[in-house]
Amino acid sequence: MKRNVALWILLVSGVGLLAFGALAIYALSMGQPFDPLALARRERPTFDANTYPTAVAQADANAIGWSVGSQAPEIELTDLKDETVRLSDLRGKPVLVNFWATWCAPCRIEMPVMEKKYRAYKESEKFVILAVDVKDDSGVDAVRRFLGELSLTFPVLLDSDGRAGTAYNVLGLPTSFFIDRRGVIRAARVGAMSEQYIDEQLQKIFAEE
């Protein structure tokens, strides 16, 4: 009888230890910080949200912010020629601001399409692309190699201290903002853009007076 009781106690204790271990593993896994850029570096799929960030769109077009309907925050960065480029100097032209990195696989997929649209519209519509290389990329030499591999000609800016990414609340790559001639953000997207999506957003802006 005593032996049976001892075996029963051992069995219950073993089950309890297994349950405690499972709970500990679950707690540790839930406690890991979420790092979207780290996920992107491992080339996991980036999340895609057509409505980002329209859920918090501001009604006042004079307010500055990263949400659709707001005045786009100023961008003042240097390009690969070490020349300063300011978004405010481009007022009157449609602008696509695209945050990217050389290690971002979805960025590599969408950039040839961006280049195609840039070449098609840069003269007739004065269309401008500002491709903002994020602060934790692999360096200027890697950026130059990347551009050469894909034959990209649109302007590339270096966000070396991350201030532009912070101003636009960039959480994943690629992230793109379509800005109209008045400097208002008209659309935003996280994830690679298709040619159809780019065309749709540009045509809306081109149709404006």
Side-chain angles (χ1 to χ4, degrees), residues 23-208:
L23 287 174
I25 293 173
Y26 177 77
L28 287 173
S29 66
M30 292 300 290
Q32 294 297 321
F34 176 67
D35 185 352
L37 294 182
L39 293 178
R41 289 191 197 94
R42 293 195 291 271
E43 296 187 352
R44 295 186 180 182
T46 56
F47 63 94
D48 184 12
N50 292 332
T51 58
Y52 171 89
T54 55
V56 289
Q58 299 179 25
D60 184 3
N62 293 317
I64 297 175
W66 50 264
S67 59
V68 172
S70 301
Q71 282 285 330
E74 176 68 292
I75 292 176
E76 184 174 349
L77 300 171
T78 57
D79 60 17
L80 295 177
K81 297 179 182 179
D82 203 30
E83 296 178 353
T84 300
V85 176
R86 298 178 181 84
L87 177 62
S88 57
D89 291 340
L90 301 174
R91 190 65 58 87
K93 301 177 182 179
V95 180
L96 167 57
V97 176
N98 176 264
F99 290 88
W100 69 287
T102 58
W103 42 258
C104 168
C107 300
R108 180 177 289 270
I109 293 173
E110 74 175 359
M111 280 198 162
V113 180
M114 290 168 50
E115 176 68 20
K116 178 180 178 181
K117 299 307 172 185
Y118 176 67
R119 294 186 182 187
Y121 296 121
K122 68 177 181 178
E123 297 298 334
S124 61
E125 299 289 350
K126 307 300 181 183
F127 174 52
V128 179
I129 290 178
L130 298 181
V132 181
D133 180 62
V134 298
K135 68 174 183 176
D136 57 346
D137 204 354
S138 304
V140 176
D141 290 339
V143 172
R144 294 184 189 278
R145 287 194 299 271
F146 184 95
L147 300 179
E149 290 172 6
L150 298 182
S151 301
L152 304 176
T153 62
F154 47 71
V156 172
L157 308 181
L158 304 175
D159 190 18
S160 57
D161 59 5
R163 56 184 170 177
T166 299
Y168 281 79
N169 195 41
V170 174
L171 301 177
L173 298 178
T175 294
S176 302
F177 296 86
F178 290 83
I179 302 171
D180 67 17
R181 293 180 173 89
R182 297 174 295 119
V184 176
I185 298 174
R186 298 297 304 278
R189 184 183 181 94
V190 180
M193 299 179 291
S194 67
E195 182 171 2
Q196 179 182 357
Y197 178 81
I198 295 176
D199 276 334
E200 288 174 354
Q201 305 313 316
L202 290 180
Q203 292 308 316
K204 291 177 184 177
I205 294 176
F206 294 160
E208 295 179 344

